[in-house]
Amino acid sequence: MNDKAENKAEELKGRAKEAVGNATDNEQWQAEGKAEQGKSNLKQAADKVKDAIKGASD
């Protein structure tokens, strides 16, 4: 459960960083925010697959 919370926090951090980048017209922060969100989304998808496999084996 801890990994899920960390992944969600990383996604929210990325959204915030992208929003600040948009507000300040900082392309680097926009890109970093999008990258953090993408990384987090991949981790969350992997967790869902693990949960599905675990649920199928129970």
Side-chain angles (χ1 to χ4, degrees), residues 4 6 9 12 17 26 33 43-45:
K4 290 180 183 182
E6 288 176 14
L12 295 175
K17 187 179 273 190
N26 185 322
K43 288 180 183 179
Q44 289 178 42

Side-chain angles (χ1 to χ4, degrees), residues 8-22 29 32-34 36-37 41:
K8 191 64 175 176
E10 184 176 10
E11 177 188 357
L12 295 175
K13 178 183 165 193
R15 285 183 188 206
K17 187 179 273 190
E18 182 182 5
V20 170
N22 288 338
W29 278 30
E32 287 177 10
K34 287 181 183 181
E36 287 178 14
Q37 289 176 66
N41 288 338

Side-chain angles (χ1 to χ4, degrees), residues 20-57:
V20 170
N22 288 338
T24 60
D25 205 25
N26 185 322
E27 292 180 6
Q28 181 178 350
W29 278 30
Q30 291 170 344
E32 287 177 10
K34 287 181 183 181
E36 287 178 14
Q37 289 176 66
K39 181 178 170 185
S40 173
N41 288 338
L42 287 174
K43 288 180 183 179
Q44 289 178 42
D47 285 341
K48 287 179 183 179
V49 170
K50 288 179 193 176
D51 290 346
I53 291 171
K54 182 179 174 186
S57 66

